[in-house]
Amino acid sequence: MTLDPAVVWLTIFVLSVFVGVEVISKVSSTLHTPLMSGANAIHGIILLGAVLVTGTADSGLALVVGLVAVVLASVNVVGGFVVTDRMLRMFQRRKPAKGQPAGSDGAGR
């Protein structure tokens, strides 16, 4: 009995979705930013793979699918780093404005 390769790939995809959801749901909120940075690095590898596969495409359909994959992977990498940078800025301390002592919020209290 031989399994259809499409069924095998679909099974692997569904199992990976379940594993991914379980892993992400167990991560504390303080580790989300480092996890996102690691995920961005992995997406960079996916982008490289998409470029390599698209470069060796021998049919028009494979070339179009590869180009879509390259565009989506690029958007994902850039967007991920932008969001990570924005989140890291949220954790930086603000410098006091000139003329105000440190620790004063300027509310006049």
Side-chain angles (χ1 to χ4, degrees):
M1 179 174 150
T2 305
L3 290 175
D4 185 14
V7 173
V8 173
W9 286 112
L10 182 63
T11 303
I12 291 172
F13 176 74
V14 170
L15 290 175
S16 66
V17 167
F18 283 126
V19 169
V21 167
E22 284 298 315
V23 168
I24 294 298
S25 67
K26 303 283 188 263
V27 174
S28 69
S29 60
T30 55
L31 293 177
H32 274 269
T33 302
L35 182 66
M36 285 180 60
S37 297
N40 290 338
I42 292 171
H43 286 284
I45 295 170
I46 291 171
L47 175 61
L48 180 63
V51 168
L52 291 175
V53 169
T54 304
T56 60
D58 54 354
S59 69
L61 178 64
L63 183 64
V64 169
V65 171
L67 288 175
V68 169
V70 167
V71 169
L72 291 177
S74 299
V75 168
N76 197 11
V77 168
V78 172
F81 279 113
V82 168
V83 169
T84 301
D85 184 53
R86 188 171 180 181
M87 289 180 70
L88 288 175
R89 285 186 189 172
M90 291 172 53
F91 293 107
Q92 290 179 347
R93 292 182 181 213
R94 294 183 182 166
K95 295 180 181 178
K98 292 183 179 179
Q100 290 185 349
S104 173
D105 60 354
R109 292 181 210 169

